[in-house]
């Protein structure tokens, strides 16, 4: 309840600046899912809609998006992490037999999330398509990540790509990948 109140207060403050959308935070969505109580998300969706602003839900867990889709809640979009980084150590041990140190980036995660993205009735913004820099060892690896993303999302979807253009011109490189794939 306290988190929901704080998020609504933030949404009300943001609304004064006429944002194009507001999203429910992914780590919180994932924690609520794990606890078996995502109903607070619905309250947030309704509250943001009451402010006259499109609202989305972010998640690192495909099951969260599936559940919201099944419930038919009034989301306008989703932000979907290609990697399920919010697994607990216990969940990792159950799934793969070991826990990682830090965020887990499992090679099979993008396939699962993009399947959910394609099945979703709403536009999705895929993020961490480069695994937070872990898929950036070569220009070919970056291109392959973009190619996979665009081949596995809907035409109404997009991607959010983090960049660190200190040692390379990531902006131009990413634009080049998008232009090549969109041609």
């Amino acid at each position: 309840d306290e988190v929901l109140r704080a998020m609504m207060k933030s949404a009300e403050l943001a609304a004064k600046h006429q944002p194009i959308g507001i999203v429910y935070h992914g780590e919180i969505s994932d924690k609520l899912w794990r606890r078996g109580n995502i109903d607070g998300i619905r309250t947030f969706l309704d509250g943001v809609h009451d402010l006259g602003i499109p609202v989305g839900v972010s998640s690192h867990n495909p099951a969260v998006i599936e559940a919201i889709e099944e419930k038919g809640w009034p989301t306008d979009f989703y932000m979907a992490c290609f990697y399920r980084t919010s697994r607990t150590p216990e969940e990792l041990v159950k799934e793969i037999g070991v826990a990682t140190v830090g965020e887990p980036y499992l090679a099979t995660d993008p396939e699962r999330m993009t399947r959910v993205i394609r099945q979703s009735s709403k536009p999705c913004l895929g993020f961490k398509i480069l695994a937070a820099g872990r898929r950036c060892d070569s220009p070919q690896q970056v291109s392959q990540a973009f190619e996979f993303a665009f081949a596995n999302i809907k035409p109404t979807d997009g991607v959010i790509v983090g960049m660190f253009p200190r040692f390379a011109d990531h902006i131009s490189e990413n634009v080049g990948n998008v232009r090549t794939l969109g041609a």
Side-chain angles (χ1 to χ4, degrees):
D1 290 340
E2 185 177 325
V3 171
L4 178 59
R5 281 192 298 277
M7 288 180 67
M8 277 310 306
K9 183 176 181 180
S10 294
E12 289 164 3
L13 291 170
K16 296 175 184 176
H17 301 284
Q18 302 175 336
I20 61 170
I22 294 177
V23 68
Y24 196 91
H25 195 275
E27 287 288 336
I28 298 171
S29 299
D30 297 352
K31 286 178 184 177
L32 290 174
W33 169 259
R34 190 174 295 114
R35 293 179 188 155
N37 182 13
I38 61 172
D39 293 337
I41 297 172
R42 172 63 193 258
T43 303
F44 180 81
L45 297 173
D46 292 339
V48 173
H49 274 150
D50 289 346
L51 296 170
I53 299 168
V55 63
V57 175
S58 181
S59 183
H60 307 83
N61 185 344
V64 172
I65 296 171
E66 288 174 324
I68 293 171
E69 284 281 292
E70 286 174 16
K71 292 175 180 286
W73 286 356
T75 59
D76 295 298
F77 63 95
Y78 295 103
M79 287 178 52
C81 186
F82 272 36
Y83 294 88
R84 190 170 159 214
T85 59
S86 62
R87 286 179 179 93
T88 64
E90 295 79 20
E91 289 170 329
L92 282 163
V93 169
K94 185 177 177 183
E95 280 186 51
I96 62 171
V98 297
T100 61
V101 176
E103 290 182 323
Y105 288 83
L106 304 184
T108 55
D109 282 347
E111 290 177 19
R112 172 93 164 59
M113 183 57 90
T114 55
R115 187 173 340 113
V116 169
I117 288 171
R118 287 189 309 274
Q119 293 172 353
S120 168
S121 63
K122 307 291 173 60
C124 297
L125 300 171
F127 66 98
K128 291 198 183 199
I129 70 166
L130 298 172
R134 290 161 180 82
R135 297 203 54 201
C136 296
D137 291 338
S138 69
Q140 294 78 19
Q141 192 178 42
V142 172
S143 294
Q144 289 169 350
F146 272 89
E147 185 175 354
F148 175 85
F150 288 124
N152 287 282
I153 60 176
K154 303 181 301 296
T156 57
D157 299 331
V159 297
I160 300 168
V161 181
M163 293 177 264
F164 186 67
R166 183 170 181 191
F167 301 111
D169 186 1
H170 293 153
I171 296 168
S172 295
E173 291 170 7
N174 291 341
V175 168
N177 279 311
V178 172
R179 284 187 174 150
T180 298
L181 292 167

